């Protein structure tokens, strides 16, 4: 849908103003080749105009374009959904539920739930492994910014960035070599040419034999760049993350950290994608509903 290319605020206000306009956009994105019953796949469906619903002639299932998607059962008008998606695609450092609440005039709980559902859809599935020149770094987030906290109370994040390519940020249980090795294995492919890290003791143990031959380190105590050897591109992603956590989200609980990291990476990796808004909407209609109680389920681990 070309009208959704390079979405900006003015276009959003003109083209996604009403429930009907938004619904029509979703219908086109979900059913490019005609409406299908989400339950049995039949194409024989009749439209129930009054309720914006469809009735399957084969299995009698009544559905709408939002049935079975993350929009399902939401009482929030679609234009507000669209505006929230737009804002979350645009905000480099992320949008807090509080900002969404104020901007869209919703209750706080509604805004919070809305942000989490959009974030869930932003998760990248089936990611290809990184190659070429890859930088790996670890950082620690969480805890109150103004007070020094021991690292054990903070959450570890491993950042892996392919130069001129994609970024991954993973919430690591700890920074033991075995843990980091698993993360590297899952994200860095055999086609990697160079692996750059600082002189942290983690990496020599976390890399396998072949990877070790490709390993170059920069001694951060002495210098940050030595020729081509640096981890600056992953560092800059970390600084965006930290500004996001301090400035926008204030406190990210350990439970939701992975989702925030995915959101940041998704936005970062799509920074040149003119169809980011459209693609996010597509992900929303492909993602099954996320229950509020699932999000708020108590976890034993302490908040970071
Ligand atoms: Zn059916």
């Amino acid at each position: 849908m070309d009208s959704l290319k390079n979405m900006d605020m003015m276009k959003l206000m003109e083209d996604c103003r009403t429930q009907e306009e938004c619904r029509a956009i979703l219908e086109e994105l979900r059913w490019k080749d005609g409406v299908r019953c989400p339950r049995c796949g039949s194409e024989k469906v009749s439209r129930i105009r009054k309720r914006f619903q469809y009735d399957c002639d084969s299995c009698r299932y009544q559905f709408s374009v939002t049935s079975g998607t993350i929009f399902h059962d939401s009482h929030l008008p679609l234009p507000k959904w669209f505006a929230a998606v737009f804002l979350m695609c645009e905000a480099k450092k992320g949008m807090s539920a509080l900002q969404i609440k104020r901007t869209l005039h919703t209750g706080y709980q509604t805004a919070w739930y809305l942000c989490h559902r959009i974030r869930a859809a932003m998760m990248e599935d089936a990611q290809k492994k990184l190659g070429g020149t890859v930088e790996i770094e670890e950082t620690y987030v969480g805890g109150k910014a103004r007070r020094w906290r021991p690292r054990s109370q903070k959450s570890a994040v491993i950042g892996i960035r392919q130069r001129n390519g994609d970024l991954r940020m993973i919430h690591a249980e700890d920074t033991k070599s075995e843990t980091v090795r698993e993360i590297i294995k899952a994200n860095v492919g055999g086609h990697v040419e160079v692996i750059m890290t600082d002189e942290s003791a983690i990496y020599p143990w976390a890399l396998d034999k072949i990877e070790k031959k490709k390993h170059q380190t920069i001694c951060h105590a002495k210098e940050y760049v030595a020729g081509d050897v640096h981890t600056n591109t992953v560092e800059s992603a970390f600084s965006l993350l930290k500004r996001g956590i301090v400035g926008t989200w204030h406190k990210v609980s350990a439970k939701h950290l992975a989702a925030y990291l995915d959101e940041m990476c998704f936005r970062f990796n799509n920074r040149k994608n003119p169809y980011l808004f459209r693609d996010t909407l597509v992900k929303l209609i492909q993602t099954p509903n996320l229950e509020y109680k699932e999000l708020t389920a108590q976890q034993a681990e302490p908040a970071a």
Side-chain angles (χ1 to χ4, degrees), residues 4-234:
L4 297 179
K5 191 179 177 182
N6 292 320
M7 183 51 83
D8 61 41
M9 198 68 189
M10 295 318 290
K11 265 211 286 204
L12 183 82
M13 284 160 65
E14 276 167 26
D15 300 344
C16 313
R17 241 172 350 119
T18 65
Q19 190 75 358
E20 290 66 42
E21 284 168 347
C22 295
R23 202 188 302 273
I25 289 171
L26 291 182
E27 291 198 351
E28 212 178 312
L29 293 175
R30 185 171 187 182
W31 295 309
K32 275 195 294 293
D33 311 312
V35 182
R36 271 173 184 274
C37 169
R39 186 163 286 172
C40 73
S42 168
E43 288 172 33
K44 283 192 201 136
V45 289
S46 344
R47 193 174 201 135
I48 316 170
R49 270 199 190 278
K50 257 207 274 173
R51 283 183 286 150
F52 302 104
Q53 278 194 328
Y54 294 90
D55 183 60
C56 174
D57 295 344
S58 307
C59 76
R60 309 270 40 126
Y61 179 52
Q62 292 197 347
F63 59 94
S64 75
V65 69
T66 56
S67 293
T69 75
I70 216 161
F71 295 99
H72 193 56
D73 271 348
S74 170
H75 300 295
L76 200 69
L78 289 174
K80 291 202 181 192
W81 267 97
F82 275 46
V85 170
F86 173 75
L87 293 168
M88 282 180 72
C89 286
E90 284 303 301
K92 280 206 171 58
K93 285 177 278 173
M95 285 293 280
S96 69
L98 215 57
Q99 282 170 290
I100 293 280
K101 167 191 175 257
R102 281 193 300 261
T103 315
L104 302 181
H105 292 288
T106 67
Y108 178 76
Q109 195 176 313
T110 303
W112 183 88
Y113 185 29
L114 180 65
C115 290
H116 268 289
R117 279 177 294 177
I118 296 172
R119 195 167 291 129
M122 281 177 159
M123 234 178 308
E124 289 186 285
D125 27 44
Q127 293 177 310
K128 60 175 193 302
K129 291 191 176 181
L130 304 178
T133 299
V134 163
E135 298 175 17
I136 308 176
E137 271 265 15
E138 75 286 356
T139 192
Y140 299 85
V141 297
K144 286 195 183 99
R146 62 175 184 274
R147 213 175 48 169
W148 182 85
R149 280 195 171 198
R151 280 185 173 178
S152 60
Q153 287 182 28
K154 291 179 168 250
S155 300
V157 175
I158 305 293
I160 308 179
R161 165 94 194 269
Q162 177 176 338
R163 285 219 187 132
N164 304 311
D166 279 4
L167 167 75
R168 309 260 191 279
M169 288 194 279
I170 298 106
H171 179 194
E173 224 170 282
D174 53 56
T175 50
K176 290 184 185 139
S177 303
E178 306 90 81
T179 313
V180 177
R181 185 183 304 143
E182 289 304 311
I183 292 172
I184 294 174
K185 279 272 164 293
N187 290 281
V188 178
H191 59 303
V192 67
E193 287 157 19
V194 184
I195 297 174
M196 295 190 182
T197 72
D198 61 14
E199 287 198 319
S200 153
I202 303 167
Y203 301 104
W205 297 101
L207 299 175
D208 68 22
K209 243 191 222 156
I210 302 163
E211 288 165 345
K212 257 183 221 155
K213 288 189 185 142
K214 303 170 176 172
H215 189 201
Q216 297 181 16
T217 55
I218 179 86
C219 173
H220 276 171
K222 271 200 303 214
E223 57 196 350
Y224 276 84
V225 183
D228 196 32
V229 185
H230 62 81
T231 54
N232 287 356
T233 68
V234 77

Side-chain angles (χ1 to χ4, degrees), residues 219-278:
C219 173
H220 276 171
K222 271 200 303 214
E223 57 196 350
Y224 276 84
V225 183
D228 196 32
V229 185
H230 62 81
T231 54
N232 287 356
T233 68
V234 77
E235 289 278 354
S236 67
F238 279 161
S239 77
L240 207 59
L241 169 71
K242 289 187 176 178
R243 275 183 283 155
I245 288 179
V246 173
T248 313
W249 302 316
H250 305 292
K251 243 165 124 194
V252 172
S253 72
K255 181 186 171 188
H256 298 297
L257 179 59
Y260 285 102
L261 295 175
D262 280 342
E263 178 197 339
M264 285 231 109
C265 290
F266 177 77
R267 206 165 25 233
F268 187 87
N269 296 337
N270 279 285
R271 64 201 178 282
K272 289 176 190 153
N273 175 8
Y275 290 104
L276 175 57
F277 178 73
R278 180 200 65 185

